[in-house]
Amino acid sequence: MPHTANRRSFIQAASLAGAALSLPAAQYSRVYGANEKLRIASVGTGGKGWSDLNGVAASPEVQVVGLCNIDSSRAHLGQAAEKYPNARQYADWRKLLDASKDIDGVLVSTPDFMHAPISMAAMHLGKHVFCQKPLSHSVHEARQMQLAAQKYDLVTQMCNQIQSHSAYRTAVHWVHSGLLGKVKEVHSWQGGQPSWPRNIPAPQGSDPVPTTVDWELWQGVAPDRHYKTGMYHPFNWRGWQDYGTGQLGDFACHILDPVFKSLKLGSPTRLTVQAPALLPESWTDRSTVRYEFPGTEYTLNRSIPVTWYDAAGVLPPRERLGSVPTDYKLPGAGSVIVGEKGSMVIPHVAMPTLFPVDQSPAGELPVIEGVDHYTQWADACRGVGQTTSHFDYAGPLTEAVLLGTIGIRFPDQELQWNAKKLEITNLPAAQEWISKSYRNGWEPAWV
Ligand SMILES: NC(=O)c1ccc[n+]([C@@H]2O[C@H](COP(=O)([O-])OP(=O)(O)OC[C@H]3O[C@@H](n4cnc5c(N)ncnc54)[C@H](O)[C@@H]3O)[C@@H](O)[C@H]2O)c1
C-alpha cells in the first residue's frame, strides 16, 4: 500500500516550515505601524490578475490604490473598478508608475512578455513586486529581475502559488526528512491538452480592435502585429513566441517547483530537448527536456537528471519510476521523485503519494499545512515573515524553464550552461535567445 497524505498527522506549519523550505534574501525597506496599510496597485486586473488582486487584497492590512488594464471592459478593468472604487484607474502602467508615490507594491499579472518590463520599472522605483509565473519571457530578464530585487532590497514573490499549498509543502518535507533516501532522478510531465493555439502558422489579415481594448498598449514591448479576434488577447497569447512561453513556460514553474524546493536545485549544467521543428511564430505542442543539475545534499550522485515531458496524454516511462507500481494510475500532470528508498508521486495539484520499499517507516506521515501565498507577500512587505518564491528562488527556476524553451529551437542538441556568465557555452546560435529585443521606445532599464 502506498503512504498517502490522507493518513495525516498535522504538524505545526510554523515550526517546520522554516526547516523544510528554503529561505529568502530577507528584504524589508521599512517598518509599518500597526494600523498602517500596505498600498498596492494591480497591473492586469482581469484573468488570473483578478484572483491575484483579490488574493492580496483579502488581507485587512492591504489597501488597493491603483488598477491598470489595457481593456476597460467588465471582465478586465470593470469588475476591479467596481470592487475597489477608491482606487485610481489606468490603461497605461507607465502612467500608474509615474503617479506611484503612494504605492508600496505592484502586482504584475499581465501576459508573460510584459512581466519583466513592468516589474523592472516598478523595482527601479522601489516598489515591492508580486509577479505572475514564469517570472519573465527571457532568461536575461529573469536574471535582471533577481538582481533588481537584490539591489533595491525589495520583497518579491512569484505567483507559483501551489508552492504554498499543503500538497507541495508536504512533498518538499518528505524529501527533506529522508523518506525517499537520496534522490536518483526526477520525471515531471504535463499531459494536458491546452485550449490555446499551438503549432499553427501566424493568422493572416486583421480584425477590428474592440473599443474597450488599447491594442498598442497590449503589444507593449513586442513587435507590432495586427489584432486578430480570439488569437492573442485574452489568454490565447500563450501559444505565440512573441508573447508567451508555450506549455513548458506555462506549467513548469508550477510542476517543477516542488522538485526545485525539495532538492534545492539551482541552475542546470546542461540540457537537451526533443521536439519537432518549431514553426516561426507559434510554440510547439510537444517537448521533452532532459536537464542535468549539479547534485545537492538530497541527491545520490554528483549530478541529477530531471526530465520534463509535455504533450497531450504524455506520461513518463514507467520503467524509470522506481517503486511506483506499473499499474498505478499516474495523474495527468505532476512529478515522480525517485529515491533510494522509495518513489514519491506529486500530482499537480494533490497530496503526494509515497511508494516505500521494505524499509519504509511505520506509522503516519507528516502533512504540512498550507499557507496563503498572497498574504505571505503582503505580510512580508509589512515586515512580517518572509516570502518563499522570492526572486532569488524564482529567478533560477524561471531561467531553467526558459532554457528549455531555447532548447526547443535546437532539438537534439545539447546546451551547456554557464549560469554565472549567463552563457550557453557551446552553441552561439542558442546564446542569441538568452535575451531579446524590444520595440523602439519600450526598452526596459536594466540593473
Ligand atoms: N499562477 C497561476 O496559476 C496562473 C494561472 C493562470 C495564468 N497565470 C499567469 O497570469 C498571467 C496572466 O495570464 P491570464 O491567463 O490571466 O491572461 P489574460 O490575457 O486572460 O489576462 C491578462 C489580463 O491583463 C490585462 N493586460 C494585458 N496586458 C496588459 C498591460 N500591458 N497592462 C495592463 N493590463 C494588461 C488583460 O487585459 C487581462 O485583463 C500570465 O503570466 C500567466 O502565465 C498564472
Side-chain angles (χ1 to χ4, degrees), residues 43-49 68-71 76 91 93 109-112 114-115 118 132-134 159 161 217-218 233-235 237-238 250 254:
V43 184
T45 47
K48 183 68 182 76
C68 176
N69 206 308
I70 57 83
D71 186 337
H76 295 279
W93 57 272
S109 309
T110 61
D112 301 353
M114 291 305 294
H115 290 179
I118 299 169
Q132 263 304 334
K133 57 79 206 160
C159 189
Q161 73 281 14
L217 285 180
W218 188 93
H233 165 72
F235 192 79
W237 48 265
R238 284 168 168 73
D250 206 25
H254 286 307

Side-chain angles (χ1 to χ4, degrees), residues 96-442:
L96 176 142
L97 289 181
D98 278 349
S100 64
K101 267 206 182 106
D102 64 345
I103 296 173
D104 304 312
V106 177
L107 318 185
V108 181
S109 309
T110 61
D112 301 353
F113 71 107
M114 291 305 294
H115 290 179
I118 299 169
S119 299
M120 288 299 296
M123 287 192 283
H124 283 306
L125 291 169
K127 314 298 177 194
H128 303 303
V129 169
F130 180 97
C131 182
Q132 263 304 334
K133 57 79 206 160
L135 209 49
S136 66
H137 194 231
S138 80
V139 173
H140 169 257
E141 287 179 342
R143 182 66 60 91
Q144 283 293 317
M145 288 172 76
Q146 181 184 2
L147 293 174
Q150 288 173 358
K151 176 176 176 181
Y152 298 117
D153 205 19
L154 297 168
V155 178
T156 56
Q157 179 94 304
M158 181 170 80
C159 189
N160 49 351
Q161 73 281 14
I162 301 149
Q163 176 180 107
S164 294
H165 286 197
S166 176
Y168 278 9
R169 284 164 63 94
T170 297
V172 170
H173 179 69
W174 287 2
V175 174
H176 286 183
S177 48
L179 289 172
L180 283 74
K182 297 284 185 187
V183 173
K184 298 191 282 190
E185 60 189 82
V186 180
H187 300 270
S188 300
W189 69 99
Q190 170 50 284
Q193 173 74 284
S195 60
W196 38 271
R198 297 187 297 172
N199 208 24
I200 60 166
Q204 298 300 306
S206 64
D207 292 325
V209 179
T211 52
T212 59
V213 172
D214 189 324
W215 183 234
E216 271 301 295
L217 285 180
W218 188 93
Q219 294 189 87
V221 301
D224 198 32
R225 183 188 288 262
H226 291 307
Y227 181 84
K228 284 294 284 181
T229 306
M231 268 295 162
Y232 312 118
H233 165 72
F235 192 79
N236 288 336
W237 48 265
R238 284 168 168 73
W240 301 100
Q241 294 167 32
D242 280 342
Y243 310 134
T245 45
Q247 184 81 317
L248 176 61
D250 206 25
F251 276 97
C253 284
H254 286 307
I255 294 172
L256 289 180
D257 173 53
V259 175
F260 266 65
K261 271 282 177 203
S262 63
L263 300 182
K264 295 199 175 149
L265 297 182
S267 304
T269 46
R270 61 189 77 236
L271 62 142
T272 306
V273 176
Q274 287 168 292
L278 192 62
L279 290 180
E281 301 202 43
S282 60
W283 283 111
T284 180
D285 60 2
R286 65 199 58 225
S287 69
T288 301
V289 188
R290 296 180 197 285
Y291 294 101
E292 185 181 295
F293 288 87
T296 68
E297 64 193 285
Y298 298 105
T299 65
L300 182 63
N301 297 314
R302 291 172 59 171
S303 65
I304 171 122
V306 175
T307 307
W308 165 270
Y309 314 81
D310 71 71
V314 78
L315 290 173
R318 303 294 311 211
E319 68 278 10
R320 301 297 323 171
L321 304 185
S323 50
V324 178
T326 48
D327 60 352
Y328 179 76
K329 189 174 180 331
L330 291 167
S335 294
V336 174
I337 299 186
V338 182
E340 290 172 300
K341 296 195 216 163
S343 296
M344 176 170 61
V345 180
I346 314 172
H348 174 77
V349 178
M351 278 298 181
T353 301
L354 185 63
F355 293 95
V357 286
D358 294 341
Q359 63 270 44
S360 61
E364 296 188 339
L365 291 173
V367 169
I368 307 299
E369 286 183 41
V371 294
D372 189 293
H373 204 67
Y374 304 91
T375 306
Q376 188 186 64
W377 175 76
D379 285 349
C381 290
R382 300 181 77 256
V384 179
Q386 298 169 333
T387 55
T388 53
S389 202
H390 48 83
F391 292 177
D392 277 343
Y393 170 80
L397 169 58
T398 299
E399 285 183 20
V401 169
L402 297 185
L403 281 170
T405 67
I406 296 176
I408 287 171
R409 301 177 184 281
F410 301 92
D412 303 316
Q413 298 186 63
E414 183 175 276
L415 310 189
Q416 292 165 9
W417 179 234
N418 182 329
K420 210 168 168 189
K421 292 187 172 165
L422 213 70
E423 197 177 320
I424 296 170
T425 52
N426 65 323
L427 202 57
Q431 177 65 16
E432 300 278 305
W433 293 95
I434 291 294
S435 54
K436 55 183 263 192
S437 52
Y438 300 86
R439 197 139 60 116
N440 274 349
W442 285 84

